[in-house]
Amino acid sequence: MSLTDDITAAIPGPATPYQGDIARYWDHEARPVNLRLGDVDGLYHHHYGIGDVDQAAIGDPSDSEREKKVITELHRLESAQAELLFDHLGPIPADATLVDAGCGRGGSMVMAHQRFGCRVQGVTLSAKQAEFGNDRAHELGIGDFVRSQVCNMLDMPFETGQVAGSWNNESSMYVDLHDLFAEHARILAVGGRYVTVTGCWNPAYGQPSKWVSQINAHFECNIHSRREYLRAMADNRLVPQAVIDLTPATLPYWELRATSSLVTGIEEAFINSYRDGSFQYVLIAADRV
Ligand SMILES: C[S@@+](CC[C@H](N)C(=O)[O-])C[C@H]1O[C@@H](n2cnc3c(N)ncnc32)[C@H](O)[C@@H]1O
C-alpha cells in the first residue's frame, strides 16, 4: 500500500451526530496541558503518562524554573507511555504500514516512524488535528512516511489484511468496541498485532463509579469495562497476548499534574477512581489470528 494510493479515495468524515460532536470537541481543543507539553520537543500527545517521577529533574517547589521542569517531566512520562505501546507491537519491518486509530495531533505517529522507519497512517475525526499532524510531519521531513487523514476509524480507507500493526491510544472510548475491533481485524494481516492503551472501568468494582461518570461527561466519551474489551476482542479474531494493569504506573503522572499550573479540573476524578479501584489504566496487546 502506498501513501498516495488511498488519498484519492473519498474520505468519510463523521458518520453520526455524536461523531460530529467529537470532531468539534477536538477541533477546538487547545488546553495548555496538551500544547505546552508538546512544545517541549515537538511531539504533541493527547494521552497520559506512565512511570516514576524523576524528583531530581523537577527540583524543589522554590525553584524558579520548577514549572518548566514539571512540564518537561510530564511530557517525558507521556512519551514513555507511547514507547511502551510500541514495545508491544513487536518487531516491525521498515517496509510495513502501521495504523494509528484516533491519532490526535500525531506525536505517536512520529515516534513510531522514528523507531521502526516504516509508514504510519493516522485517522482522526478532527480536521484541525489532521492538518496539524501533517504540518509537523512535513516540517520534520517525514511527510512521505507519516500521514493523518480525517476519517472514521470504524470505516478506515485501508485495504483488507495489509497492515502489520495498529493501535488505539486513548481513543477507543469513543466507539462501540465490537465495531472497532471488527475494523482492526479487517485491516490487519493475519499475525499482525493490535495494541490499545486505555482507561476502563473495573468489573470487580461492580458498575461505573461516580468518578468514571464524571470523566465520561468531561470528555464526552463512554468508558468501557475491562470485560467488554476482552469479550469484543475474542469475538473479532484478536487474541490477547498481554494485559497489563498500568494503574500504579500512571498515578505519579496524575499526582504531579495535579500540583502543576496545567490542571484542567478532572485530575481528582482520575486520582480517586484509580485509588478506589473503580477505574484502571490498561495496555492490551492482541494477535490478529
Ligand atoms: C484522547 S485523543 C488521543 C489522541 C492520540 N491517540 C494520542 O495518543 O495523542 C482521542 C482521539 O480519538 C479520535 N477519535 C474519536 N472517535 C473517532 C472516530 N470514530 N474515528 C476516528 N477518530 C476518532 C479523536 O479525533 C482524537 O484524535
Short mmCIF file of all heavy atoms in Angstrom, two decimals, residues 9-73:
data_model
loop_
_atom_site.label_atom_id
_atom_site.label_comp_id
_atom_site.label_asym_id
_atom_site.label_seq_id
_atom_site.Cartn_x
_atom_site.Cartn_y
_atom_site.Cartn_z
N ALA A 9 -9.17 8.44 -2.68
CA ALA A 9 -10.49 7.89 -2.34
C ALA A 9 -11.28 8.92 -1.53
O ALA A 9 -10.70 9.75 -0.84
CB ALA A 9 -10.32 6.62 -1.53
N ALA A 10 -12.60 8.86 -1.64
CA ALA A 10 -13.43 9.74 -0.82
C ALA A 10 -13.18 9.39 0.64
O ALA A 10 -13.17 8.23 1.01
CB ALA A 10 -14.89 9.52 -1.17
N ILE A 11 -12.92 10.39 1.44
CA ILE A 11 -12.61 10.14 2.85
C ILE A 11 -13.85 10.43 3.68
O ILE A 11 -14.28 11.57 3.77
CB ILE A 11 -11.44 11.01 3.31
CG1 ILE A 11 -10.19 10.64 2.50
CG2 ILE A 11 -11.19 10.86 4.80
CD1 ILE A 11 -9.06 11.61 2.66
N PRO A 12 -14.43 9.39 4.26
CA PRO A 12 -15.63 9.64 5.05
C PRO A 12 -15.31 10.37 6.35
O PRO A 12 -14.36 10.01 7.04
CB PRO A 12 -16.16 8.23 5.34
CG PRO A 12 -15.01 7.32 5.15
CD PRO A 12 -14.02 8.00 4.27
N GLY A 13 -16.01 11.38 6.64
CA GLY A 13 -15.83 12.12 7.89
C GLY A 13 -16.75 11.54 8.94
O GLY A 13 -17.09 10.37 8.89
N PRO A 14 -17.18 12.36 9.89
CA PRO A 14 -18.08 11.88 10.93
C PRO A 14 -19.33 11.22 10.32
O PRO A 14 -19.91 11.74 9.37
CB PRO A 14 -18.44 13.15 11.68
CG PRO A 14 -17.28 14.06 11.46
CD PRO A 14 -16.79 13.75 10.08
N ALA A 15 -19.71 10.08 10.87
CA ALA A 15 -20.84 9.34 10.32
C ALA A 15 -22.11 9.55 11.12
O ALA A 15 -23.21 9.35 10.63
CB ALA A 15 -20.51 7.85 10.27
N THR A 16 -21.98 9.96 12.37
CA THR A 16 -23.15 10.12 13.24
C THR A 16 -23.11 11.52 13.87
O THR A 16 -22.03 12.14 13.94
CB THR A 16 -23.14 9.08 14.38
OG1 THR A 16 -21.95 9.28 15.16
CG2 THR A 16 -23.17 7.65 13.85
N PRO A 17 -24.25 11.98 14.40
CA PRO A 17 -24.22 13.28 15.09
C PRO A 17 -23.23 13.29 16.25
O PRO A 17 -22.53 14.27 16.48
CB PRO A 17 -25.66 13.44 15.60
CG PRO A 17 -26.48 12.60 14.68
CD PRO A 17 -25.61 11.44 14.27
N TYR A 18 -23.11 12.16 16.97
CA TYR A 18 -22.15 12.07 18.07
C TYR A 18 -20.72 12.29 17.55
O TYR A 18 -19.93 13.04 18.14
CB TYR A 18 -22.26 10.71 18.76
CG TYR A 18 -21.14 10.45 19.75
CD1 TYR A 18 -21.11 11.07 20.99
CD2 TYR A 18 -20.07 9.59 19.43
CE1 TYR A 18 -20.06 10.86 21.89
CE2 TYR A 18 -19.04 9.37 20.32
CZ TYR A 18 -19.04 10.01 21.55
OH TYR A 18 -18.00 9.79 22.42
N GLN A 19 -20.39 11.65 16.44
CA GLN A 19 -19.04 11.82 15.89
C GLN A 19 -18.80 13.26 15.45
O GLN A 19 -17.67 13.75 15.53
CB GLN A 19 -18.80 10.84 14.74
CG GLN A 19 -18.66 9.40 15.25
CD GLN A 19 -18.61 8.37 14.15
OE1 GLN A 19 -18.75 8.70 12.97
NE2 GLN A 19 -18.43 7.12 14.52
N GLY A 20 -19.88 13.93 15.02
CA GLY A 20 -19.77 15.36 14.70
C GLY A 20 -19.41 16.16 15.96
O GLY A 20 -18.58 17.06 15.92
N ASP A 21 -20.03 15.79 17.10
CA ASP A 21 -19.70 16.45 18.37
C ASP A 21 -18.24 16.24 18.73
O ASP A 21 -17.55 17.17 19.17
CB ASP A 21 -20.56 15.87 19.52
CG ASP A 21 -22.02 16.23 19.40
OD1 ASP A 21 -22.35 17.15 18.63
OD2 ASP A 21 -22.85 15.58 20.08
N ILE A 22 -17.75 15.01 18.53
CA ILE A 22 -16.37 14.69 18.90
C ILE A 22 -15.39 15.42 17.96
O ILE A 22 -14.36 15.93 18.41
CB ILE A 22 -16.14 13.16 18.86
CG1 ILE A 22 -17.05 12.48 19.88
CG2 ILE A 22 -14.68 12.79 19.13
CD1 ILE A 22 -16.94 13.02 21.30
N ALA A 23 -15.75 15.50 16.70
CA ALA A 23 -14.90 16.25 15.76
C ALA A 23 -14.79 17.70 16.20
O ALA A 23 -13.70 18.28 16.23
CB ALA A 23 -15.48 16.16 14.34
N ARG A 24 -15.93 18.30 16.59
CA ARG A 24 -15.91 19.70 17.04
C ARG A 24 -15.09 19.84 18.32
O ARG A 24 -14.32 20.78 18.48
CB ARG A 24 -17.35 20.19 17.29
CG ARG A 24 -17.99 20.77 16.04
CD ARG A 24 -19.35 21.41 16.36
NE ARG A 24 -20.34 20.43 16.80
CZ ARG A 24 -21.02 19.63 15.98
NH1 ARG A 24 -20.82 19.71 14.68
NH2 ARG A 24 -21.91 18.78 16.44
N TYR A 25 -15.27 18.88 19.24
CA TYR A 25 -14.53 18.93 20.51
C TYR A 25 -13.03 19.03 20.23
O TYR A 25 -12.33 19.89 20.74
CB TYR A 25 -14.84 17.68 21.34
CG TYR A 25 -14.09 17.59 22.65
CD1 TYR A 25 -14.70 17.93 23.85
CD2 TYR A 25 -12.75 17.17 22.69
CE1 TYR A 25 -14.00 17.86 25.05
CE2 TYR A 25 -12.04 17.11 23.88
CZ TYR A 25 -12.67 17.45 25.05
OH TYR A 25 -11.97 17.39 26.24
N TRP A 26 -12.52 18.12 19.37
CA TRP A 26 -11.07 18.08 19.14
C TRP A 26 -10.61 19.20 18.21
O TRP A 26 -9.46 19.64 18.29
CB TRP A 26 -10.64 16.70 18.64
CG TRP A 26 -10.75 15.69 19.75
CD1 TRP A 26 -11.72 14.72 19.90
CD2 TRP A 26 -9.91 15.59 20.91
NE1 TRP A 26 -11.52 14.03 21.07
CE2 TRP A 26 -10.42 14.54 21.71
CE3 TRP A 26 -8.78 16.28 21.36
CZ2 TRP A 26 -9.83 14.17 22.92
CZ3 TRP A 26 -8.19 15.91 22.56
CH2 TRP A 26 -8.73 14.86 23.33
N ASP A 27 -11.50 19.70 17.36
CA ASP A 27 -11.13 20.86 16.55
C ASP A 27 -10.85 22.08 17.43
O ASP A 27 -10.05 22.94 17.09
CB ASP A 27 -12.25 21.22 15.57
CG ASP A 27 -12.18 20.40 14.28
OD1 ASP A 27 -11.14 19.76 14.04
OD2 ASP A 27 -13.17 20.40 13.52
N HIS A 28 -11.56 22.14 18.57
CA HIS A 28 -11.43 23.32 19.44
C HIS A 28 -10.53 23.09 20.64
O HIS A 28 -10.32 24.00 21.43
CB HIS A 28 -12.82 23.79 19.89
CG HIS A 28 -13.64 24.31 18.77
ND1 HIS A 28 -14.73 23.64 18.26
CD2 HIS A 28 -13.49 25.40 17.99
CE1 HIS A 28 -15.22 24.31 17.23
NE2 HIS A 28 -14.49 25.38 17.05
N GLU A 29 -10.03 21.89 20.78
CA GLU A 29 -9.21 21.56 21.95
C GLU A 29 -7.86 22.25 21.86
O GLU A 29 -7.08 22.00 20.94
CB GLU A 29 -9.03 20.03 22.02
CG GLU A 29 -7.89 19.53 22.88
CD GLU A 29 -7.97 20.01 24.31
OE1 GLU A 29 -9.05 19.88 24.94
OE2 GLU A 29 -6.95 20.52 24.80
N ALA A 30 -7.57 23.12 22.83
CA ALA A 30 -6.27 23.81 22.84
C ALA A 30 -5.83 24.06 24.28
O ALA A 30 -5.27 25.10 24.60
CB ALA A 30 -6.36 25.12 22.07
N ARG A 31 -6.11 23.07 25.14
CA ARG A 31 -5.73 23.26 26.54
C ARG A 31 -4.21 23.29 26.66
O ARG A 31 -3.52 22.51 26.00
CB ARG A 31 -6.27 22.12 27.41
CG ARG A 31 -7.78 22.15 27.58
CD ARG A 31 -8.18 21.14 28.65
NE ARG A 31 -9.59 21.29 28.99
CZ ARG A 31 -10.52 20.43 28.60
NH1 ARG A 31 -10.20 19.38 27.88
NH2 ARG A 31 -11.77 20.62 28.94
N PRO A 32 -3.70 24.13 27.57
CA PRO A 32 -2.24 24.20 27.75
C PRO A 32 -1.62 22.83 28.04
O PRO A 32 -0.52 22.54 27.60
CB PRO A 32 -2.07 25.14 28.95
CG PRO A 32 -3.31 25.96 28.97
CD PRO A 32 -4.41 25.11 28.42
N VAL A 33 -2.38 21.97 28.77
CA VAL A 33 -1.79 20.67 29.11
C VAL A 33 -1.49 19.86 27.85
O VAL A 33 -0.61 19.00 27.84
CB VAL A 33 -2.69 19.88 30.10
CG1 VAL A 33 -3.90 19.28 29.40
CG2 VAL A 33 -1.89 18.80 30.83
N ASN A 34 -2.20 20.13 26.78
CA ASN A 34 -1.95 19.41 25.54
C ASN A 34 -0.91 20.09 24.67
O ASN A 34 -0.18 19.43 23.95
CB ASN A 34 -3.25 19.26 24.75
CG ASN A 34 -4.18 18.25 25.38
OD1 ASN A 34 -3.75 17.17 25.76
ND2 ASN A 34 -5.44 18.59 25.51
N LEU A 35 -0.84 21.41 24.73
CA LEU A 35 0.06 22.12 23.83
C LEU A 35 1.43 22.42 24.44
O LEU A 35 2.45 22.25 23.79
CB LEU A 35 -0.60 23.41 23.35
CG LEU A 35 -1.86 23.15 22.52
CD1 LEU A 35 -2.54 24.45 22.12
CD2 LEU A 35 -1.53 22.32 21.28
N ARG A 36 1.45 22.83 25.71
CA ARG A 36 2.75 23.21 26.30
C ARG A 36 3.65 21.99 26.49
O ARG A 36 4.87 22.10 26.39
CB ARG A 36 2.53 23.94 27.62
CG ARG A 36 2.00 25.36 27.34
CD ARG A 36 1.97 26.24 28.54
NE ARG A 36 3.25 26.40 29.19
CZ ARG A 36 3.38 26.86 30.44
NH1 ARG A 36 2.31 27.18 31.14
NH2 ARG A 36 4.57 27.00 30.98
N LEU A 37 3.05 20.82 26.73
CA LEU A 37 3.88 19.62 26.83
C LEU A 37 4.49 19.28 25.47
O LEU A 37 5.66 18.92 25.37
CB LEU A 37 3.05 18.43 27.36
CG LEU A 37 3.02 18.25 28.88
CD1 LEU A 37 2.45 19.45 29.60
CD2 LEU A 37 2.25 16.99 29.26
N GLY A 38 3.70 19.42 24.42
CA GLY A 38 4.21 19.13 23.07
C GLY A 38 5.29 20.11 22.65
O GLY A 38 6.21 19.75 21.91
N ASP A 39 5.17 21.36 23.15
CA ASP A 39 6.17 22.37 22.78
C ASP A 39 7.58 22.00 23.25
O ASP A 39 8.57 22.53 22.73
CB ASP A 39 5.80 23.74 23.39
CG ASP A 39 4.57 24.36 22.74
OD1 ASP A 39 4.22 23.93 21.62
OD2 ASP A 39 3.97 25.26 23.35
N VAL A 40 7.67 21.08 24.22
CA VAL A 40 8.99 20.71 24.77
C VAL A 40 9.90 20.18 23.66
O VAL A 40 11.06 20.58 23.56
CB VAL A 40 8.83 19.64 25.89
CG1 VAL A 40 10.18 19.06 26.29
CG2 VAL A 40 8.12 20.25 27.10
N ASP A 41 9.37 19.29 22.81
CA ASP A 41 10.23 18.73 21.75
C ASP A 41 9.49 18.52 20.43
O ASP A 41 10.01 17.86 19.53
CB ASP A 41 10.85 17.40 22.21
CG ASP A 41 9.79 16.34 22.50
OD1 ASP A 41 8.59 16.62 22.30
OD2 ASP A 41 10.16 15.22 22.90
N GLY A 42 8.28 19.08 20.32
CA GLY A 42 7.56 19.00 19.05
C GLY A 42 6.77 17.72 18.85
O GLY A 42 6.21 17.49 17.78
N LEU A 43 6.68 16.87 19.90
CA LEU A 43 5.84 15.67 19.82
C LEU A 43 4.57 15.95 20.60
O LEU A 43 4.59 16.03 21.83
CB LEU A 43 6.57 14.46 20.44
CG LEU A 43 7.81 13.97 19.70
CD1 LEU A 43 8.55 12.94 20.55
CD2 LEU A 43 7.43 13.37 18.35
N TYR A 44 3.47 16.12 19.88
CA TYR A 44 2.22 16.54 20.53
C TYR A 44 1.34 15.33 20.79
O TYR A 44 0.89 14.65 19.86
CB TYR A 44 1.50 17.58 19.66
CG TYR A 44 2.23 18.90 19.65
CD1 TYR A 44 3.30 19.10 18.78
CD2 TYR A 44 1.91 19.91 20.56
CE1 TYR A 44 4.01 20.30 18.79
CE2 TYR A 44 2.61 21.11 20.57
CZ TYR A 44 3.66 21.29 19.69
OH TYR A 44 4.36 22.47 19.71
N HIS A 45 1.11 15.05 22.09
CA HIS A 45 0.28 13.92 22.50
C HIS A 45 -1.03 14.44 23.10
O HIS A 45 -1.06 15.52 23.70
CB HIS A 45 0.98 13.11 23.59
CG HIS A 45 2.30 12.56 23.20
ND1 HIS A 45 2.49 11.73 22.12
CD2 HIS A 45 3.54 12.70 23.76
CE1 HIS A 45 3.77 11.38 22.03
NE2 HIS A 45 4.43 11.97 23.00
N HIS A 46 -2.06 13.60 23.00
CA HIS A 46 -3.28 13.82 23.80
C HIS A 46 -3.52 12.54 24.59
O HIS A 46 -4.53 11.87 24.43
CB HIS A 46 -4.49 14.10 22.91
CG HIS A 46 -4.48 15.47 22.29
ND1 HIS A 46 -4.24 16.61 23.00
CD2 HIS A 46 -4.68 15.87 21.02
CE1 HIS A 46 -4.30 17.66 22.20
NE2 HIS A 46 -4.56 17.23 20.99
N HIS A 47 -2.50 12.14 25.36
CA HIS A 47 -2.68 10.99 26.24
C HIS A 47 -1.88 11.22 27.52
O HIS A 47 -1.18 12.24 27.65
CB HIS A 47 -2.29 9.69 25.53
CG HIS A 47 -0.85 9.59 25.13
ND1 HIS A 47 -0.45 9.50 23.81
CD2 HIS A 47 0.28 9.60 25.85
CE1 HIS A 47 0.88 9.42 23.77
NE2 HIS A 47 1.34 9.49 24.98
N TYR A 48 -1.98 10.27 28.46
CA TYR A 48 -1.38 10.46 29.78
C TYR A 48 -0.05 9.74 29.88
O TYR A 48 0.40 9.09 28.93
CB TYR A 48 -2.38 10.00 30.85
CG TYR A 48 -3.75 10.59 30.61
CD1 TYR A 48 -4.88 9.79 30.50
CD2 TYR A 48 -3.90 11.98 30.45
CE1 TYR A 48 -6.12 10.33 30.25
CE2 TYR A 48 -5.15 12.53 30.20
CZ TYR A 48 -6.26 11.70 30.10
OH TYR A 48 -7.49 12.25 29.84
N GLY A 49 0.57 9.87 31.06
CA GLY A 49 1.93 9.37 31.21
C GLY A 49 2.04 8.17 32.13
O GLY A 49 1.12 7.87 32.89
N ILE A 50 3.18 7.50 32.05
CA ILE A 50 3.47 6.38 32.97
C ILE A 50 4.93 6.50 33.46
O ILE A 50 5.78 7.03 32.77
CB ILE A 50 3.27 5.00 32.32
CG1 ILE A 50 4.09 4.85 31.03
CG2 ILE A 50 1.80 4.71 32.08
CD1 ILE A 50 4.23 3.41 30.58
N GLY A 51 5.14 5.91 34.63
CA GLY A 51 6.50 5.82 35.19
C GLY A 51 6.67 6.73 36.39
O GLY A 51 5.87 7.62 36.65
N ASP A 52 7.76 6.47 37.12
CA ASP A 52 8.05 7.26 38.31
C ASP A 52 8.53 8.66 37.93
O ASP A 52 9.22 8.84 36.93
CB ASP A 52 9.14 6.58 39.15
CG ASP A 52 8.60 5.30 39.78
OD1 ASP A 52 7.37 5.20 39.98
OD2 ASP A 52 9.42 4.40 40.06
N VAL A 53 8.14 9.61 38.75
CA VAL A 53 8.60 10.99 38.55
C VAL A 53 10.06 11.09 38.99
O VAL A 53 10.44 10.58 40.04
CB VAL A 53 7.73 11.96 39.37
CG1 VAL A 53 8.31 13.37 39.36
CG2 VAL A 53 6.30 11.95 38.85
N ASP A 54 10.87 11.73 38.15
CA ASP A 54 12.28 11.98 38.49
C ASP A 54 12.31 13.25 39.35
O ASP A 54 12.26 14.36 38.82
CB ASP A 54 13.07 12.15 37.19
CG ASP A 54 14.55 12.39 37.46
OD1 ASP A 54 14.92 12.71 38.61
OD2 ASP A 54 15.34 12.28 36.49
N GLN A 55 12.37 13.04 40.68
CA GLN A 55 12.29 14.18 41.60
C GLN A 55 13.45 15.16 41.40
O GLN A 55 13.27 16.37 41.51
CB GLN A 55 12.26 13.69 43.06
CG GLN A 55 11.02 12.87 43.41
CD GLN A 55 9.71 13.67 43.34
OE1 GLN A 55 9.70 14.90 43.38
NE2 GLN A 55 8.59 12.96 43.20
N ALA A 56 14.61 14.62 41.06
CA ALA A 56 15.78 15.49 40.86
C ALA A 56 15.54 16.40 39.65
O ALA A 56 15.96 17.55 39.63
CB ALA A 56 17.03 14.64 40.66
N ALA A 57 14.85 15.86 38.65
CA ALA A 57 14.63 16.62 37.42
C ALA A 57 13.66 17.79 37.64
O ALA A 57 13.77 18.81 36.95
CB ALA A 57 14.10 15.70 36.32
N ILE A 58 12.72 17.65 38.56
CA ILE A 58 11.72 18.73 38.73
C ILE A 58 12.15 19.77 39.76
O ILE A 58 11.55 20.84 39.85
CB ILE A 58 10.31 18.20 39.07
CG1 ILE A 58 10.29 17.39 40.36
CG2 ILE A 58 9.75 17.39 37.91
CD1 ILE A 58 8.89 16.98 40.79
N GLY A 59 13.19 19.45 40.53
CA GLY A 59 13.67 20.43 41.50
C GLY A 59 12.69 20.61 42.66
O GLY A 59 11.64 19.96 42.70
N ASP A 60 12.99 21.51 43.58
CA ASP A 60 12.06 21.70 44.71
C ASP A 60 11.10 22.85 44.40
O ASP A 60 11.32 23.63 43.48
CB ASP A 60 12.82 21.89 46.03
CG ASP A 60 13.67 23.13 46.02
OD1 ASP A 60 13.09 24.22 45.85
OD2 ASP A 60 14.90 23.00 46.16
N PRO A 61 10.01 22.93 45.20
CA PRO A 61 8.95 23.91 44.89
C PRO A 61 9.42 25.36 44.84
O PRO A 61 8.78 26.19 44.20
CB PRO A 61 7.93 23.70 46.02
CG PRO A 61 8.15 22.30 46.48
CD PRO A 61 9.61 22.02 46.30
N SER A 62 10.54 25.67 45.48
CA SER A 62 11.01 27.06 45.47
C SER A 62 11.84 27.40 44.22
O SER A 62 12.16 28.56 43.98
CB SER A 62 11.86 27.32 46.72
OG SER A 62 12.98 26.46 46.68
N ASP A 63 12.15 26.37 43.44
CA ASP A 63 12.95 26.56 42.21
C ASP A 63 12.20 27.46 41.24
O ASP A 63 11.04 27.21 40.90
CB ASP A 63 13.18 25.16 41.61
CG ASP A 63 14.15 25.18 40.44
OD1 ASP A 63 14.27 26.22 39.78
OD2 ASP A 63 14.76 24.13 40.19
N SER A 64 12.84 28.53 40.76
CA SER A 64 12.15 29.46 39.84
C SER A 64 11.82 28.81 38.50
O SER A 64 10.93 29.25 37.78
CB SER A 64 13.00 30.71 39.62
OG SER A 64 14.23 30.33 39.05
N GLU A 65 12.53 27.74 38.19
CA GLU A 65 12.30 27.02 36.92
C GLU A 65 11.38 25.82 37.12
O GLU A 65 11.23 25.00 36.21
CB GLU A 65 13.65 26.51 36.37
CG GLU A 65 14.62 27.61 35.98
CD GLU A 65 14.23 28.25 34.66
OE1 GLU A 65 14.37 27.59 33.62
OE2 GLU A 65 13.74 29.39 34.67
N ARG A 66 10.81 25.70 38.30
CA ARG A 66 10.06 24.49 38.66
C ARG A 66 8.95 24.17 37.63
O ARG A 66 8.81 23.04 37.19
CB ARG A 66 9.45 24.68 40.05
CG ARG A 66 8.36 23.72 40.42
CD ARG A 66 8.90 22.47 41.08
NE ARG A 66 7.79 21.66 41.57
CZ ARG A 66 7.92 20.61 42.33
NH1 ARG A 66 9.10 20.19 42.69
NH2 ARG A 66 6.87 19.93 42.73
N GLU A 67 8.15 25.17 37.27
CA GLU A 67 7.01 24.91 36.40
C GLU A 67 7.47 24.35 35.04
O GLU A 67 6.90 23.39 34.52
CB GLU A 67 6.22 26.21 36.20
CG GLU A 67 4.87 26.04 35.58
CD GLU A 67 3.96 25.08 36.36
OE1 GLU A 67 4.13 24.87 37.58
OE2 GLU A 67 3.06 24.50 35.71
N LYS A 68 8.50 24.95 34.51
CA LYS A 68 9.05 24.48 33.24
C LYS A 68 9.56 23.03 33.36
O LYS A 68 9.35 22.20 32.48
CB LYS A 68 10.21 25.42 32.85
CG LYS A 68 10.55 25.40 31.39
CD LYS A 68 11.54 26.53 31.09
CE LYS A 68 12.49 26.05 30.01
NZ LYS A 68 13.77 26.74 30.05
N LYS A 69 10.20 22.76 34.48
CA LYS A 69 10.74 21.42 34.71
C LYS A 69 9.61 20.39 34.86
O LYS A 69 9.73 19.25 34.40
CB LYS A 69 11.64 21.41 35.94
CG LYS A 69 12.95 22.16 35.74
CD LYS A 69 13.78 22.17 37.01
CE LYS A 69 15.10 22.90 36.80
NZ LYS A 69 15.87 23.02 38.06
N VAL A 70 8.53 20.79 35.53
CA VAL A 70 7.38 19.87 35.70
C VAL A 70 6.76 19.55 34.33
O VAL A 70 6.43 18.40 34.03
CB VAL A 70 6.33 20.49 36.66
CG1 VAL A 70 5.00 19.73 36.59
CG2 VAL A 70 6.86 20.48 38.09
N ILE A 71 6.65 20.56 33.49
CA ILE A 71 6.08 20.34 32.15
C ILE A 71 6.96 19.37 31.36
O ILE A 71 6.47 18.44 30.71
CB ILE A 71 5.92 21.70 31.43
CG1 ILE A 71 4.74 22.46 32.08
CG2 ILE A 71 5.72 21.52 29.93
CD1 ILE A 71 4.59 23.89 31.64
N THR A 72 8.27 19.57 31.43
CA THR A 72 9.19 18.68 30.72
C THR A 72 9.06 17.25 31.26
O THR A 72 9.07 16.27 30.49
CB THR A 72 10.65 19.19 30.89
OG1 THR A 72 10.70 20.52 30.38
CG2 THR A 72 11.64 18.32 30.14
N GLU A 73 8.91 17.13 32.56
CA GLU A 73 8.80 15.79 33.17
C GLU A 73 7.47 15.12 32.78
O GLU A 73 7.45 13.93 32.44
CB GLU A 73 8.91 15.92 34.70
CG GLU A 73 8.88 14.62 35.46
CD GLU A 73 10.04 13.67 35.14
OE1 GLU A 73 10.93 14.03 34.34
OE2 GLU A 73 10.04 12.56 35.69
#
